[in-house]
């Protein structure tokens, strides 16, 4: 699990960085719903740890033979490998942070649900248009309530969501404003936005140590709200957009509350989207195609002709079975590759120190054997048994095909 976190957190951070860079131009070109859809790519990168191989293009040239002595791969699918000091209880620290983040979020949710439920009451609407809106949703009338502690409309709850409205909602808002407030919150419910927020909070707890994830969730919520606006106003005229904008102007950003809630928020970019963006089937189709292309490259591995996954040399081509070697040295670094691993070891020979490059199995084979980054960390002593390269050249480093690795401890 820890090794998966090592590799996945770098991939996740890169994907989040890409989304943060392109979300604004994508939103302005193709709509808020396409920018919101982009967040599915980093989410899926965590949910789908195993990558399918990307289809090769017919025009891709074959990869010529490469001298493996010059090859230094970074990790599974090209990711670098990082090391933590030996003996550090990494798993325990991560699990403690995960439990803390998850517990705090659950506690805040439970306390807020209990408080809202105790101080709320049902509300009845006399406006026919609002009654039809509620009747067309899957919410029961008892799931729309007013509360004295709520200043802005919100929807709360996953299994049985409840829309909470300010206590003075019936008098402070006109019937037209009430309609747009309820339609906005019902759109959140219809789209399942609360479930996606919960997934984001789970991702935050899982990667509590990664500040990029915390930054991303704020932008994710902003894109979610803008996508909800766009969905709410689909097919509406300019007058409806004006009335909807008036409702947004009356709202204020709430204080610190649990994240699995949807509140009205106001931003300049949000108003720009209300005024400028109109639904276009062409833009939507183009945006979906762009998301599909980005997702294909982000969630698949490169084909063999690109990833150079067939570069492992045959034993007889490089190594000599008549040149067995055995030495003890200190690990300098490990380069995990898709098909083989290069272990760099400094060994004292007579009056000098020689660095050996020891070829071993793939990163997956090494992991299954318990020889991951927690075992092969820099500074650890290891005894290596194997066969030296045919040329016996040690300039600048000696080559060895590793057969056995043993440790003093």
């Amino acid at each position: 699990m820890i090794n998966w976190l090592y590799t996945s957190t770098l991939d996740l951070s890169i994907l989040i960085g890409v989304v943060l860079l392109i979300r604004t131009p994508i939103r302005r070109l193709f709509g808020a719903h396409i920018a919101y859809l982009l967040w599915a790519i980093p989410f899926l990168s965590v949910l789908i740890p195993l990558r399918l191989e990307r289809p090769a293009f017919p025009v891709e040239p074959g990869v010529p033979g490469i001298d493996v002595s010059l090859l230094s791969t970074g990790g599974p699918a090209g990711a670098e490998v990082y090391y933590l000091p030996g003996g550090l209880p990494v798993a325990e620290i991560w699990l403690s942070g995960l439990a803390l983040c998850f517990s705090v979020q659950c506690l805040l949710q439970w306390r807020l649900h209990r408080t809202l439920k105790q101080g709320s009451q049902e509300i009845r609407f006399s406006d026919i248009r609002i009654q039809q809106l509620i009747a067309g949703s899957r919410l029961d009338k008892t799931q729309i309530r007013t509360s004295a502690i709520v200043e802005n409309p919100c929807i709360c709850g996953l299994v049985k969501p409840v829309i909470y409205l300010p206590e003075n909602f019936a008098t402070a808002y006109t019937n037209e404003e009430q309609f747009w407030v309820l339609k906005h919150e019902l759109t959140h419910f219809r789209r399942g936005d609360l479930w996606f927020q919960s997934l984001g909070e789970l991702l935050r707890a899982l990667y509590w140590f990664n500040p990029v994830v915390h930054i991303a969730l704020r932008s994710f919520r902003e894109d979610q709200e803008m996508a909800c606006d766009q969905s709410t106003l689909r097919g509406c005229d300019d007058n409806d957009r004006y009335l909807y904008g008036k409702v947004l102007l009356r709202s204020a950003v709430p204080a610190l509350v649990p994240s699995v809630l949807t509140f009205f928020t106001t931003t300049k970019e949000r108003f720009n989207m209300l005024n400028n963006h109109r639904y276009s089937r062409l833009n939507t189709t183009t945006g979906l195609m762009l998301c599909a292309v980005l997702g294909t490259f982000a969630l698949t591995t490169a084909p063999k002709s690109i990833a150079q996954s067939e570069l492992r040399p045959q034993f007889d081509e490089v190594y000599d079975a008549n040149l067995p070697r055995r030495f003890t040295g200190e690990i300098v670094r490990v380069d995990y590759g898709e098909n083989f691993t290069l272990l760099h070891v400094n060994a004292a020979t007579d009056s000098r120190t020689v660095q050996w490059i020891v070829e071993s199995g793939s990163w997956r084979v090494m992991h299954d054997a318990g020889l991951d980054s927690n075992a092969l960390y820099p500074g650890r002593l290891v005894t290596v048994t194997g066969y030296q390269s045919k040329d016996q050249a040690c300039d600048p480093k000696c080559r060895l095909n590793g057969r056995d690795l043993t440790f003093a401890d």
Side-chain angles (χ1 to χ4, degrees):
M1 186 64 180
I2 297 301
N3 289 284
W4 172 75
L5 282 174
Y6 288 164
T7 56
S8 65
T9 190
L10 178 60
D11 292 340
L12 180 64
S13 299
I14 293 174
L15 290 176
I16 287 176
V18 171
V19 173
L20 289 174
L21 285 174
I22 68 174
R23 55 188 281 267
T24 299
I26 291 295
R27 183 172 60 242
R28 293 173 180 174
L29 287 172
F30 305 112
H33 58 308
I34 299 299
Y36 179 50
L37 185 60
L38 286 174
W39 290 106
I41 297 176
F43 282 165
L44 289 175
S45 71
V46 177
L47 297 176
I48 309 176
L50 298 179
R51 301 286 190 267
L52 297 175
E53 184 177 296
R54 190 181 310 146
F57 292 100
V59 296
E60 287 181 1
V63 178
I66 296 178
D67 184 358
V68 294
S69 64
L70 302 177
L71 178 65
S72 177
T73 55
E80 292 189 25
V81 176
Y82 296 91
Y83 300 95
L84 293 176
L88 188 66
V90 180
E92 289 77 5
I93 295 175
W94 171 71
L95 287 173
S96 299
L98 172 61
L100 179 62
C101 290
F102 187 76
S103 300
V104 168
Q105 189 60 233
C106 289
L107 178 62
L108 291 175
Q109 283 291 323
W110 176 78
R111 290 180 60 183
L112 183 65
H113 283 211
R114 185 184 64 174
T115 304
L116 288 173
K117 186 176 181 180
Q118 291 175 347
S120 66
Q121 57 185 359
E122 293 183 29
I123 181 173
R124 297 183 181 276
F125 297 96
S126 59
D127 187 81
I128 300 299
R129 192 183 182 195
I130 295 178
Q131 292 178 356
Q132 293 175 344
L133 176 66
I134 297 174
S137 68
R138 300 194 306 273
L139 286 184
D140 188 81
K141 294 180 180 179
T142 61
Q143 293 174 262
I144 303 178
R145 309 176 69 87
T146 61
S147 174
I149 68 171
V150 172
E151 296 182 2
N152 296 292
C154 67
I155 181 169
C156 184
L158 293 176
V159 179
K160 190 177 181 181
V162 177
I163 294 177
Y164 291 99
L165 305 169
E167 192 175 35
N168 63 344
F169 184 73
T171 57
Y173 291 79
T174 66
N175 286 342
E176 194 71 29
E177 291 172 339
Q178 292 177 26
F179 173 83
W180 287 112
V181 167
L182 289 172
K183 187 173 183 180
H184 175 91
E185 297 301 337
L186 288 172
T187 301
H188 273 305
F189 168 68
R190 176 177 56 83
R191 289 161 49 90
D193 286 342
L194 287 175
W195 288 96
F196 294 119
Q197 287 185 28
S198 299
L199 179 61
E201 291 303 318
L202 181 61
L203 197 68
R204 187 208 296 268
L206 191 64
Y207 292 94
W208 59 266
F209 55 88
N210 190 340
V212 177
V213 175
H214 296 269
I215 295 172
L217 283 180
R218 180 179 180 87
S219 298
F220 168 76
R221 290 288 305 276
E222 292 176 356
D223 289 338
Q224 186 182 74
E225 284 296 325
M226 293 186 194
C228 182
D229 290 340
Q230 185 172 318
S231 182
T232 301
L233 292 173
R234 181 173 177 179
C236 295
D237 56 24
D238 291 338
N239 183 60
D240 290 334
R241 292 174 180 271
Y242 170 75
L243 293 173
Y244 187 80
K246 285 180 61 178
V247 175
L248 290 184
L249 281 175
R250 297 191 57 178
S251 63
V253 179
L256 181 63
V257 294
S259 297
V260 187
L261 290 164
T262 57
F263 286 86
F264 276 110
T265 57
T266 56
T267 63
K268 181 178 179 181
E269 183 68 21
R270 193 170 178 183
F271 283 109
N272 289 337
M273 289 298 299
L274 295 181
N275 295 328
N276 300 329
H277 184 78
R278 296 293 186 274
Y279 176 80
S280 167
R281 182 171 296 179
L282 176 61
N283 280 352
T284 298
T285 302
T286 306
L288 290 174
M289 292 176 61
L290 177 62
C291 288
V293 171
L294 292 175
T296 299
F297 278 87
L299 303 176
T300 58
T301 59
K304 293 181 179 180
S305 60
I306 295 178
Q308 301 177 1
S309 59
E310 300 296 333
L311 294 178
R312 182 169 187 171
Q314 295 294 324
F315 178 87
D316 293 339
E317 296 177 358
V318 182
Y319 303 102
D320 191 340
N322 296 317
L323 292 174
R325 292 288 184 270
R326 179 182 175 87
F327 57 85
T328 299
E330 183 179 277
I331 298 175
V332 178
R333 83 166 195 263
V334 184
D335 296 332
Y336 287 97
E338 186 175 1
N339 282 322
F340 60 93
T341 299
L342 298 180
L343 180 66
H344 300 252
V345 179
N346 280 346
T349 304
D350 297 330
S351 60
R352 65 190 185 98
T353 298
V354 176
Q355 184 169 130
W356 291 81
I357 300 180
V358 182
E359 181 192 342
S360 301
S362 68
W363 69 270
R364 189 174 297 278
V365 171
M366 299 289 281
H367 176 270
D368 293 342
L371 298 175
D372 52 21
S373 55
N374 289 322
L376 301 178
Y377 52 84
R380 189 177 189 184
L381 292 178
V382 60
T383 299
V384 182
T385 303
Y387 302 93
Q388 192 171 350
S389 58
K390 290 182 178 181
D391 55 17
Q392 302 185 45
C394 287
D395 185 18
K397 302 174 183 179
C398 302
R399 294 288 307 283
L400 190 83
N401 181 275
R403 188 188 67 185
D404 296 312
L405 301 178
T406 57
F407 304 93
D409 52 0

